[in-house]
Amino acid sequence: MLELSYLREHKDEAIKRLSKRKLQAQTAVEDILRLDEQRRSNQAELDAVLAESNSLSKEIGQLFKEGKAQEANTLKDKTASLKEKSKELQQEQEQIRHALENLLVTLPNTPHELVKEGADAHDNEEIKVVGQKPGLAEGAKPHWELADQYGLIDFELGVKITGAGFPVYKGKGARLQRALINFFLEQNIEAGYEEYQPPHFVNEASGFGTGQLPDKEGQMYHMEKDNLYAIPTAEVPITNLFRDVIIDHEDLPIRCTAYTPCFRREAGSYGKDVRGLNRLHQFDKVEVVTVSKPEASYGILEEMVAHVGGLLEKLGLHYRILRLCGGDMGFTSAMTYDFEVWSAAQERWLEVSSVSNFETYQSNRLKLRYRGEDRKTQLCHTLNGSALALPRVLAALLENNQSAEGIRIPDVLIPYTGFEIIA
RNA sequence: GGAGAGAUGGCAGAGUGGUCGAAUGCGGUGGUCUUGAAAACCAUUGACCUUCACGGGUCCGGGGGUUCGAAUCCCUCUCUCUCCGCCA
């Protein structure tokens, strides 16, 4: 949620930035500011009425104490009209607040200055390309065929016991997946992130805190009986660790990492996009989350991007980094870098990580603040990224490293897998 | 699943209708003392809205009600804990 004070003080800038998303926000922003104005004047009026009513009550109490019941009762009559007035104003206040809130949650985050204006993925900027496309022999296979050939993943079994999009990993496939999780976690810990194991289900308040609710309700699996949501990413439980928290400035930045399965309903996808591991309802991901001071957040974003890039390099994967344009960024993000690895047999880029700075958009909802040196509280910035999402990394590893002898395991993973080749 | 208890400031814990935003202790911060530290002593120490400021207002789990006045009484929801049952 955008900060009201920001809209108030930088109205034109906000509208201009939102236009990078191809969003015409003028009307909404003006409506918000008008409601904000109304709200404040209404509250001033309400405060005055309550102040008078409070002082009358005190007087009445005093009079009763002194045994002047007669005078007290006269004053009592006076409070009746005040009471009515305050009730009226309070109702009005609530209405205005609701209207304001409803409008405010429709506005996405304001893109950072560096973010290019654009409608969709076509306008994303390629920032960096690392490595080269591996030269594969004739007849190279896509990962789902390799997975079948070497008995690594059984998609049919997953359909049988659950449904499409829930693969069963087995044998060296399962071990490779586990090795990747451990490798990523260890690398993240080494880079200063503290490991967490959060719950895989969250309550409504948490879904709201990170912005999945109310707008993306359909994306999450919901357990109606207990009103819990299966997490679509570790971002949700981890960021919510800091909901309603005031952090001392000396403890910032806070860096967390967590491995969790992720659950996404992903309604409406089809075709080659959902083939094999390309898009799943359940997948594994190691996430990194940082809470920082506002002035430090963009430096930290660069650090996180460098760290994620380092992971892909260690795995020897050919990848590129995109800075998303306004229209392709997530609702809550101010700047996002996507990482895509080259899938050699499919001959396409696959997104394996998305690293974002949310500035105060999440912390405003979360009420996540820090106490500065001056003892004042202000909103933190939150950032997160995948480090990394497993299935597509696995897909690229299988495809890019295939040869007549089998699938070669990258050196850095061998200590974790315990084998060098899948043959 | 059954029975009971409870939800108060960073924590512990008082407070059953009127100067209670809330005693007290611990913790935190500043100071006195000390070569330094500890101890002791003194002071200070919640969040939010609004105002240039003075000030005003809101908040004792959430929501509603009674009352001139609610942390305190009533209703309701949520959550937590204890015991029993079941169970990795």
Side-chain angles (χ1 to χ4, degrees):
Chain A
M1 204 157 56
L2 290 173
E3 291 176 82
L4 262 178
S5 58
Y6 172 74
L7 291 177
R8 217 182 279 150
E9 286 156 34
H10 306 279
K11 176 186 155 196
D12 294 334
E13 187 190 300
I15 292 169
K16 195 176 141 213
R17 288 199 173 177
L18 286 169
S19 73
K20 291 183 174 202
R21 293 181 180 268
K22 299 284 185 197
L23 181 75
Q24 186 41 260
Q26 176 110 19
T27 322
V29 171
E30 274 168 6
D31 285 351
I32 285 168
L33 291 178
R34 207 191 57 245
L35 282 168
D36 177 50
E37 195 57 47
Q38 266 180 42
R39 210 216 91 231
R40 283 186 292 162
S41 74
N42 173 284
Q43 185 170 51
E45 207 179 331
L46 174 61
D47 283 355
V49 172
L50 288 175
E52 197 180 342
S53 163
N54 283 345
S55 83
L56 273 179
S57 284
K58 269 182 194 167
E59 256 183 82
I60 290 168
Q62 194 57 37
L63 287 173
F64 271 124
K65 241 181 213 170
E66 291 166 9
K68 299 174 182 167
Q70 195 72 29
E71 290 173 49
N73 282 321
T74 318
L75 284 184
K76 265 197 197 180
D77 296 338
K78 274 176 81 176
T79 61
S81 69
L82 285 178
K83 212 177 155 185
E84 206 167 303
K85 183 79 184 161
S86 79
K87 210 167 192 175
E88 225 170 79
L89 287 167
Q90 247 153 17
Q91 269 168 12
E92 223 176 294
Q93 179 82 189
E94 202 153 310
Q95 274 171 17
I96 298 171
R97 272 181 198 276
H98 266 113
L100 192 54
E101 171 106 355
N102 286 340
L103 262 180
L104 214 44
V105 297
T106 63
L107 285 183
N109 203 350
T110 47
H112 184 273
E113 249 186 309
L114 284 175
V115 172
K116 228 179 88 182
E117 178 171 341
D120 52 42
H122 294 102
D123 297 318
N124 293 340
E125 295 174 86
E126 192 175 272
I127 298 293
K128 195 177 173 188
V129 183
V130 177
Q132 294 170 359
K133 296 178 187 176
L136 291 188
E138 269 304 303
K141 294 173 179 168
H143 69 269
W144 51 89
E145 285 179 24
L146 295 166
D148 187 48
Q149 179 184 336
Y150 294 105
L152 305 175
I153 305 168
D154 196 322
F155 293 97
E156 300 304 315
L157 262 183
V159 170
K160 173 183 160 188
I161 61 168
T162 305
F166 293 90
V168 174
Y169 301 84
K170 57 180 182 178
K172 284 187 172 172
R175 291 168 68 191
L176 178 54
Q177 175 116 276
R178 181 158 51 84
L180 281 166
I181 293 167
N182 278 328
F183 171 68
F184 292 148
L185 280 173
E186 289 299 328
Q187 291 286 314
N188 294 344
I189 290 165
E190 204 168 300
Y193 295 89
E194 185 175 15
E195 183 179 353
Y196 281 78
Q197 292 188 1
H200 299 167
F201 301 151
V202 293
N203 56 29
E204 240 177 341
S206 296
F208 187 78
T210 29
Q212 277 72 23
L213 294 176
D215 23 299
K216 286 188 211 142
E217 170 135 36
Q219 284 257 41
M220 289 193 289
Y221 287 97
H222 181 219
M223 276 140 280
E224 223 167 291
K225 232 174 176 175
D226 302 289
N227 198 23
L228 294 174
Y229 294 84
I231 57 171
T233 158
E235 166 195 346
V236 180
I238 295 297
T239 310
N240 272 284
L241 295 174
F242 305 100
R243 172 151 46 87
D244 261 314
V245 164
I246 300 177
I247 299 166
D248 194 273
H249 69 277
E250 285 179 358
D251 296 330
L252 292 174
I254 296 177
R255 303 171 205 267
C256 310
T257 185
Y259 152 71
T260 68
C262 303
F263 303 91
R264 298 189 183 177
R265 296 186 61 236
E266 306 280 16
S269 331
Y270 59 92
K272 66 177 179 165
D273 285 339
V274 298
R275 202 70 204 273
L277 294 172
N278 289 348
R279 182 166 300 175
L280 302 169
H281 287 309
Q282 178 181 330
F283 63 96
D284 290 311
K285 182 157 64 64
V286 178
E287 184 81 357
V288 286
V289 172
T290 308
V291 180
S292 90
K293 290 187 195 175
E295 63 268 26
S297 69
Y298 278 94
I300 285 172
L301 180 64
E302 295 308 316
E303 271 176 40
M304 290 170 77
V305 165
H307 175 67
V308 171
L311 295 177
L312 291 170
E313 269 159 61
K314 283 176 183 152
L315 292 175
L317 289 169
H318 174 42
Y319 72 94
R320 62 175 186 173
I321 304 176
L322 306 173
R323 181 159 56 216
L324 300 191
C325 72
D328 201 33
M329 276 200 311
F331 197 76
T332 54
S333 175
M335 195 192 300
T336 296
Y337 290 99
D338 269 10
F339 285 73
E340 297 183 337
V341 298
W342 182 250
S343 166
Q346 296 185 77
E347 298 196 344
R348 58 189 290 221
W349 293 103
L350 297 177
E351 184 190 332
V352 292
S353 178
S354 192
V355 185
S356 304
N357 187 352
F358 303 98
E359 299 187 357
T360 58
Y361 197 89
Q362 289 184 329
S363 60
N364 191 26
R365 269 197 192 184
L366 291 162
K367 293 196 172 60
L368 163 54
R369 291 159 294 173
Y370 75 98
R371 196 180 299 285
E373 269 170 276
D374 56 2
R375 310 301 297 159
K376 288 239 160 64
T377 58
Q378 63 175 303
L379 294 173
C380 295
H381 279 195
T382 60
L383 305 94
N384 70 48
S386 344
L388 290 158
L390 277 279
R392 294 175 189 159
V393 169
L394 193 62
L397 282 177
L398 296 181
E399 292 182 14
N400 298 12
N401 295 349
Q402 63 180 300
S403 71
E405 288 75 47
I407 297 162
R408 185 183 50 77
I409 302 297
D411 291 346
V412 291
L413 281 183
I414 294 171
Y416 296 95
T417 54
F419 53 84
E420 297 172 23
I421 195 160
I422 297 170

